[in-house]
Amino acid sequence: MRTIDSWQKEVDDWANQFEKPYFSPLSLLAALVEEVGETAKVMNTLYGDKKKKDTDNIKNLEEELGDILFSLTCIANSHNFNLDEILDNKMNKVYGRDNNRFQRKTD
């Protein structure tokens, strides 16, 4: 099973085989937004009011989520950010600030 660190390194190794491994920051953001839009389209056809095409299925959603992860990883790598640390910081926020924000399940 791949870890976040190994995923981030794999993406970086792949990107660094090219003269310019990463697009400019705005182009990276545009790529991410495009992928989020494609994910929204698939989810809207699966669960929303948009008519479903024969090619729209849960596998497409999986692929689009992978595209988002790849785009986010490229942004993090281009800024030398560690995704493990970013996720740890987010989870600390969730367990702290948001700990009592939502109603918990009752047994």
Side-chain angles (χ1 to χ4, degrees), residues 40-54:
K41 180 182 174 192
V42 170
M43 289 193 71
N44 195 23
T45 60
L46 291 173
Y47 307 110
D49 297 325
K50 190 168 184 173
K51 290 231 182 239
K52 183 178 172 181
K53 292 187 283 187
D54 291 339

Side-chain angles (χ1 to χ4, degrees), residues 1-68:
M1 183 150 192
R2 198 181 267 135
T3 64
I4 294 173
D5 278 337
S6 67
W7 163 261
Q8 192 167 0
K9 183 180 180 335
E10 184 176 346
V11 170
D12 198 51
D13 288 346
W14 175 84
N16 276 297
Q17 68 181 315
F18 304 107
E19 287 285 326
K20 186 177 176 186
Y22 298 104
F23 297 145
S24 69
L26 287 177
S27 292
L28 286 170
L29 178 61
L32 174 62
V33 171
E34 287 173 13
E35 299 304 345
V36 170
E38 291 172 13
T39 302
K41 180 182 174 192
V42 170
M43 289 193 71
N44 195 23
T45 60
L46 291 173
Y47 307 110
D49 297 325
K50 190 168 184 173
K51 290 231 182 239
K52 183 178 172 181
K53 292 187 283 187
D54 291 339
T55 57
D56 292 327
N57 58 46
I58 203 73
K59 189 68 176 164
N60 294 111
L61 180 57
E62 235 178 80
E63 291 171 13
E64 296 304 339
L65 291 175
D67 291 345
I68 289 172

